Amino acid sequence: MQFNILKTSLAEIQELRNLFLAEISFQFVYHKCHAAGWADTYIFTLNGSPVGYGSLWGKNNRTDRDTVFEFYLLEPFRRLADKVFREFARVSGATYINCQSNDTCLTAILFEHANTIHAEAILFEDSIQTNFEVSHTVFRKSGLRGEHDPQYILEQNGQVVASGGHVWSYNFPYIDIYYEVEEEHRQKGLGSLITQELKNEAYRMNRVPSARCNIKNIASKATLLKAGMRVCGHILLGKL
């Protein structure tokens, strides 16, 4: 039984990656790393046949390739996951694992091989529909076209009190929601209202809304939960 790990192109492992994406049923926050050119990818072969792949990016520097964020094996070969991962880490020079807790395969490897593990962010999926209203408040498109401009705004008595939009960097059909409430208008239910409306817009675009926030952002977590989302995982980091 001859096992090899070789650096390769995204095109070479695309079918395997399609299988990975088909298996998961959640937003994959690292999906954009490949298209953005932030990742190096390795193919795993057994007796010359592809059985899996792994990918790395730079956690703190986009030019580095020190952090494993994808690791996939075909089902019949997952019993070899620990052995394959050790060799993958050796060949690639990986020193960290960055994964989502709902990616059960890589999370199991994280707890087996890494230390100083901590959660960096909370992941949310949609759960229930809400019907919030705030008097004299209108949700509409911003009309702005700049790369960093918000796509939608909340206006209250003609004044912009909150803004937000969607980030199209997740795997289909998921889309990420972001929002910001003007400081003087916080704790008035506007964050939950704009999140609710951004969820509705996502569904109108035939996308599934999702979100994330920093593990320490208690206010954002409370807002997202109030708007009908629920925690579906965490982003974890561990050092090998």
Side-chain angles (χ1 to χ4, degrees):
M1 186 170 66
Q2 186 174 358
F3 183 76
N4 285 299
I5 295 177
L6 297 171
K7 191 174 179 180
T8 189
S9 66
L10 176 60
E12 189 70 21
I13 58 92
Q14 189 60 62
E15 289 190 0
L16 287 166
R17 191 161 193 275
N18 289 342
L19 290 173
F20 166 70
L21 293 173
E23 281 189 31
I24 65 176
S25 56
F26 52 80
Q27 71 272 36
F28 186 60
V29 301
Y30 305 107
H31 183 66
K32 65 181 179 182
C33 292
H34 294 283
W38 298 343
D40 282 354
T41 297
Y42 293 74
I43 191 167
F44 312 149
T45 64
L46 187 64
N47 296 330
S49 297
V51 297
Y53 76 96
S55 298
L56 302 91
W57 74 320
K59 177 68 177 68
N60 298 310
N61 187 329
R62 295 290 183 260
T63 60
D64 291 338
R65 297 292 182 267
D66 57 4
T67 305
V68 176
F69 70 90
E70 274 185 49
F71 181 83
Y72 179 77
L73 286 168
L74 295 173
E75 180 66 42
F77 305 98
R78 291 179 189 172
R79 59 188 175 81
L80 303 172
D82 285 340
K83 178 180 178 180
V84 173
F85 182 81
R86 287 191 187 95
E87 183 65 9
F88 173 43
R90 185 191 69 79
V91 171
S92 66
T95 53
Y96 296 94
I97 297 175
N98 210 179
C99 69
Q100 300 181 199
S101 61
N102 45 4
D103 179 353
T104 55
C105 178
L106 190 50
T107 298
I109 288 171
L110 173 79
F111 286 112
E112 181 73 20
H113 296 275
N115 51 59
T116 61
I117 298 167
H118 68 274
E120 298 182 311
I122 307 170
L123 303 172
F124 296 85
E125 64 184 4
D126 195 21
S127 177
I128 59 173
Q129 184 178 12
T130 56
N131 293 287
F132 298 122
E133 293 183 0
V134 177
S135 297
H136 310 295
T137 304
V138 177
F139 174 82
R140 66 172 178 83
K141 290 185 176 181
S142 69
L144 302 173
R145 302 296 182 187
E147 181 181 357
H148 302 292
D149 289 330
Q151 299 149 9
Y152 299 88
I153 58 172
L154 278 184
E155 278 187 343
Q156 192 172 71
N157 297 318
Q159 179 185 5
V160 176
V161 293
S163 58
H166 305 98
V167 180
W168 298 73
S169 57
Y170 288 172
N171 48 313
F172 183 83
Y174 302 97
I175 195 169
D176 189 29
I177 288 174
Y178 72 89
Y179 72 92
E180 183 175 6
V181 178
E182 297 298 320
E183 188 169 357
E184 64 270 28
H185 295 284
R186 292 174 184 172
Q187 297 185 333
K188 299 178 181 178
L190 297 172
S192 296
L193 176 60
I194 195 169
T195 299
Q196 166 188 284
E197 297 306 316
L198 290 169
K199 284 169 48 178
N200 292 338
E201 286 296 303
Y203 285 120
R204 278 191 278 270
M205 295 185 289
N206 298 316
R207 293 289 182 135
V208 177
S210 56
R212 57 178 159 163
C213 72
N214 185 279
I215 192 75
K216 297 180 180 179
N217 195 334
I218 297 172
S220 184
K221 178 182 178 182
T223 294
L224 292 166
L225 292 174
K226 183 179 177 181
M229 307 199 86
R230 64 185 175 195
V231 175
C232 63
H234 293 80
I235 296 179
L236 307 173
L237 177 68
K239 190 177 190 308
L240 295 173

